[in-house]
Amino acid sequence: MTAIERRAFVQGAGLGALAFTIGGAEVMLTPRQARAERVPLRTLTAQEGAALDAIGETLVPGARDAGISNFVDQQISIAPEDALLQARILNVHPPFANFYRGALGAVDGASMKAKDRTFAALSPEEQHDLVGRMRVNKLDGWQGPPAPLVFAVLRSDAVDVVYATMEGYAALGIPYMPHIEPTRKW
Amino acid sequence: VANEKVDLVVVGSGASGSVYAYALAKAGRKVVVLDNGPDRPLGDLISSDIWGRRLKPAGGAILLGGKNPFAYANQGAYAVGGAALHYFAQFPRYLPTDFKMKSEHNRGHDWPISYEDLAPFYDRVAADVGVSGDAKAEEKWRPPGKAYPMPPMKTFPAGEVWLKGAEATGIHLVPMANGMNSQAFKGRAACLYDGWCHVGCPIGALANPLVTYLGEARKAGVEVRGLSNVTRVLTNQAGTRAVGVEYYDANKERQVQEASVVVLAAWSAQNPRILLNSATGKHPNGLANSNKLVGKFMMTHHIAGTWALFDKDITPHMGTVGAQFMSYDRYAKTSYPSAFGSSFITAGTSHKTNDYSLARADLFGRELAVFMKRAARGLTHLTIFGEELPNIENRVELVSEKDEYGMPMARLTHSFDADAVALWNANFDQGVKIGRATDAKEVWPGKGPIMPTSHLHGGAIMGTDSSSSVTNSYGQTHEVPNLWMAGPCIFPTEGASNPTYTIFATALRGAEHLAEHWESVAL
């Protein structure tokens, strides 16, 4: 068997399909597809989802359309041992929903204190400034998980949906070269 | 539920547990292996940094403390095959000096064995699992031994670019010894150099337990039960013998597996947790712990990484996650005037997009997007692992919180001392010096507010004296002769090089000793 045969070259796939619920039925979609289909969030509130979209886009351009809020929402709605989040590698203790709720609430809280608006309502320049101060733990009124940890976890989620997918590799001009392609559910 | 009694129950199916299962099954013993993770087929090893996270623990029952908490989840495992399912398969040996820390430097501990005692087992493991490398080239630093069964792995520009800088700064790089196939080996495929080793190699080119010792053990009739959480080692009324283990199965039902001999091979933090939770009236401090050394002398490596960015395409994504080159030129414990301890240099691992983003963890927004494009063509890394001396304050102990099975969780407390910090800083200076002597456009130390940790050792150290160690040199506990410990938990010092080859070798030595002396151990 040749090397080329043992590789599973595929075209245009994404993160891999995850199980989303639409109208009570389970469907397999990529996070980008879930966003395009307006799949409702299961665990995050609409405000939390909006905050996550805005923070994700600030951290990694393209994260919003790549479906960061659908990705995180789906992942914190399943058993922790099945989750694909970088949070597990960074020793965040499950349930992961607690961390994300605390983190997103802290971001909006800091935004309200500084600008009297939620993070999603800030201008891109204001969002960039606030995230920069979150990274170095210089935000007044921060109440939640450590700000640098929130920065690291949310940045990683945004990197995941934009760059760690097969589409992301293609955008950077890198051949993905999977042995086993990430297009199916484990 | 009580199960049929077996000869041997092994707790953990990684590098050490798989060896015990293999060796004892080969000797005709009936063996059961219990692992807390799921038993995944090779086809589940998806080539993705995102999906690969499922091979690691999610939360778990080990809480982290100290000034420098250990990166437990990143290094641990949640799968049959253990951490050796997602390891980098770098196979450097320890050097003779690692076994004589106390004798040569009056610090730390001596091992109860020498390099010469272990050398034959390094050679045996290489022949069993397949190692690619250049043994002759390594003999600059170690005694001669057998050639590896395969020539070195291929090299790629992301590794080769370091050669110039190393040579200019007096560092001799040789091919890394890798537990990977540079050519087809024992019916297993040759490596494709696609750089997905760290999320599990589904083609069998990397020597993970599923395709080596555990695979052979299964062929010999060993039963492997995944999703089996062991909570206690059970002992007889007199407290003189282990009689089996208590565990909770995939349905979270309590089970008892009786056995003539028990081997704990569940890694350095979980092994002490089980021993401490096995306390009885006869063993009030926990099993094998009358000297209160169970869970003590936890050690890890610190990592000083140097990034280099070239303005040409060096194919960072190609190759193996195991490095292409290595050097022991800073391995002597007194290599630096300002620091003490061994350092092990590796260069040229393959990187994927998540790695690029971590190379500049401070960037976000448009700046990150620009950097990612440059990194995709020109990023590479040099890693220097540094040794930490054994410190009794670095420890595992039970806490009051309990897991879903009612078993107390444990806290792993870890802090680096001044020696380790000094060595870490010296290694950054060394790495940047090498990087600046390459043709790189930019060179920077990967130094953040956290001292990165890698590999875990200690917790049930071996020695000759039962008052100052938990096991003998084979892993047999001093206090309960049919209870054995396996893996890096028995290492009394840690050296600086990747430990898994030495884990395999010490486990093979212990397992064959157990097989040869079965009648006297099992009674």
Side-chain angles (χ1 to χ4, degrees), chain A residues 166 168-177, chain B residues 317 352-353 356 372 376-377:
Chain A
M166 298 177 83
Y169 276 64
L172 290 173
I174 307 167
Y176 195 89
M177 301 183 302
Chain B
H317 58 284
K352 301 298 186 183
T353 54
Y356 307 159
M372 292 294 284
R377 283 174 46 83

Side-chain angles (χ1 to χ4, degrees), chain B residues 214-296:
Chain B
L214 197 63
E216 294 299 314
R218 280 174 155 146
K219 286 180 196 166
V222 170
E223 182 189 353
V224 181
R225 297 180 197 153
L227 296 172
S228 298
N229 285 271
V230 172
T231 49
R232 286 192 299 156
V233 176
L234 305 172
T235 48
N236 62 5
Q237 203 161 17
T240 55
R241 310 280 304 169
V243 297
V245 298
E246 172 193 77
Y247 72 98
Y248 287 81
D249 65 17
N251 297 318
K252 304 187 190 302
E253 289 184 8
R254 182 180 181 273
Q255 302 267 353
V256 169
Q257 179 58 62
E258 292 183 321
S260 300
V261 176
V262 174
V263 173
L264 293 187
W267 209 30
S268 284
Q270 185 69 359
N271 280 345
R273 181 178 175 227
I274 294 170
L275 289 177
L276 295 172
N277 193 49
S278 302
T280 65
K282 300 291 183 187
H283 297 276
N285 299 327
L287 281 185
N289 194 31
S290 63
N291 58 15
K292 298 186 178 176
L293 289 181
V294 165
K296 303 294 171 56

Side-chain angles (χ1 to χ4, degrees), chain B residues 270-506:
Chain B
Q270 185 69 359
N271 280 345
R273 181 178 175 227
I274 294 170
L275 289 177
L276 295 172
N277 193 49
S278 302
T280 65
K282 300 291 183 187
H283 297 276
N285 299 327
L287 281 185
N289 194 31
S290 63
N291 58 15
K292 298 186 178 176
L293 289 181
V294 165
K296 303 294 171 56
F297 299 115
M298 304 303 297
M299 295 164 278
T300 180
H301 293 140
H302 47 82
I303 301 172
T306 298
W307 293 100
L309 191 59
F310 290 74
D311 58 4
K312 60 183 180 183
D313 188 357
I314 59 170
T315 61
H317 58 284
M318 289 296 295
T320 58
V321 171
Q324 298 174 33
F325 298 101
M326 65 177 181
S327 178
Y328 289 92
D329 271 344
R330 293 294 177 268
Y331 208 83
K333 314 253 180 230
T334 53
S335 290
Y336 301 114
S338 59
F340 181 87
S342 289
S343 298
F344 180 67
I345 302 171
T346 72
T349 64
S350 66
H351 287 109
K352 301 298 186 183
T353 54
N354 291 83
D355 303 313
Y356 307 159
S357 74
L358 293 174
R360 285 295 306 272
D362 57 322
L363 297 181
F364 64 96
R366 189 175 304 278
E367 286 179 300
L368 176 61
V370 171
F371 176 78
M372 292 294 284
K373 286 185 178 169
R374 295 181 67 203
R377 283 174 46 83
L379 185 70
T380 183
H381 190 251
L382 178 137
T383 301
I384 308 184
F385 295 99
E387 180 176 23
E388 166 179 47
L389 298 181
N391 177 347
I392 199 165
E393 293 302 320
N394 288 331
R395 63 195 185 275
V396 169
E397 56 200 345
L398 298 183
V399 297
S400 57
E401 296 117 298
K402 294 186 176 175
D403 67 11
E404 60 185 308
Y405 309 107
M407 180 183 185
M409 295 186 182
R411 176 173 290 109
L412 167 53
T413 301
H414 177 263
S415 303
F416 284 120
D417 64 14
D419 279 312
V421 174
L423 188 61
W424 188 54
N425 286 322
N427 282 333
F428 273 119
D429 293 343
Q430 178 69 65
V432 170
K433 194 172 157 189
I434 295 171
R436 286 183 179 152
T438 68
D439 295 327
K441 193 83 171 171
E442 295 172 34
V443 174
W444 67 97
K447 194 172 191 177
I450 294 171
M451 272 180 84
T453 59
S454 184
H455 311 133
L456 189 64
H457 320 76
I461 67 169
M462 58 173 147
T464 53
D465 183 347
S466 62
S467 69
S468 57
S469 58
V470 177
T471 79
N472 66 18
S473 73
Y474 298 101
Q476 182 181 27
T477 63
H478 295 304
E479 292 178 26
V480 185
N482 67 335
L483 171 61
W484 291 50
M485 310 300 295
C489 67
I490 65 173
F491 291 12
T493 60
E494 64 169 9
S497 58
N498 306 68
T500 310
Y501 195 15
T502 305
I503 294 169
F504 276 122
T506 53

